[in-house]
Amino acid sequence: MNRQVPPGEAPLLHAQELRKQYGATTALDGAEFSIRPGEVVAVMGPSGSGKSTLLHCLAGIVTPDSGSLTYDGRQMAAMSDRERSALRRTEFGFVFQFGQLVPELSCVENVALPLRLAGTGRRAAEREANGWLERLEVAELAGKRPGEISGGQGQRVAVARSLVTRPRVLFADEPTGALDSLNGERVMELLTEAARSARAAVVLVTHEARVAAYSDREIVVRDGRSRDMAHAA
Ligand SMILES: Nc1ncnc2c1ncn2[C@@H]1O[C@H](COP(=O)(O)OP(=O)(O)OP(=O)(O)O)[C@@H](O)[C@H]1O
């Protein structure tokens, strides 16, 4: 299942000594992180240890107080807000635990939305979207609205939407957290298969070992510090 990443390949995202303080709370206390193109890395650790803060820093959503963070060799801190948001739109994809689909739009319109926002015409965007729904094995839901489908189906549609722009990094924060174990495993299988076929790296935040088992490598965060478990594929 795991695909080998050439050992010498430069990291796509690389974080060193990240620190982030929220008032008196230290969310990150010198966290390190590195991911290579196409690699799937699970970020594990107890509740409140700093996993989501790390993911938000890596994705350029939260600015760390200090530390170094590079994407494709470029310092994120040196980018303007505009450059960082362009990066999020064009190079990054996101899947969260809940509530990501627009309820008024059909599933195919939801998946096509990021392409439509980037200026792709409706027909081409929906053709691409239907291809992703097929890959996630939910093609038959194209015309349905999110309120008419199950939680597991909704997550598959959300994964399709996150990959439709062909991001280089997919950030997934507890993507199966709201699903039962059978549905969760199927979503993880499809998510990792689809990301691998698109050659997207995946930063997967989870507290479940069963979910982390789909990764190439695990990082454990404790008290804002990270440790590479190097469970080599
Ligand atoms: N926006 C914020 N404002 C204040 N404190 C915050 C904020 N975000 C996170 N924290 C605090 O920082 C610490 C790390 O939180 P974070 O959400 O990163 O942990 P986590 O490991 O993702 O937790 P969980 O598994 O419960 O989601 C916690 O003590 C949290 O309360």
Side-chain angles (χ1 to χ4, degrees), residues 38-60:
E39 201 180 15
V40 180
V41 176
V43 178
M44 301 198 64
S47 181
S49 58
K51 303 182 295 297
S52 296
T53 306
L54 176 61
L55 179 139
H56 292 149
C57 286
L58 295 171

Side-chain angles (χ1 to χ4, degrees), residues 20 88 90 124 156:
K20 180 72 189 174
R88 282 197 299 273
T90 60
R156 294 189 200 192

Side-chain angles (χ1 to χ4, degrees), residues 185-209:
E185 293 201 14
R186 190 68 191 126
V187 166
M188 279 312 301
E189 264 167 34
L190 291 165
L191 184 156
T192 47
E193 260 172 45
R196 285 182 169 127
S197 75
R199 302 190 46 74
V202 182
V203 181
L204 170 68
V205 166
T206 182
H207 59 268
E208 290 182 73

Side-chain angles (χ1 to χ4, degrees), residues 96-109:
F96 299 106
Q97 187 172 349
F98 297 115
Q100 310 159 67
L101 300 175
V102 180
E104 293 80 10
L105 299 181
S106 68
C107 289
V108 70
E109 287 167 340

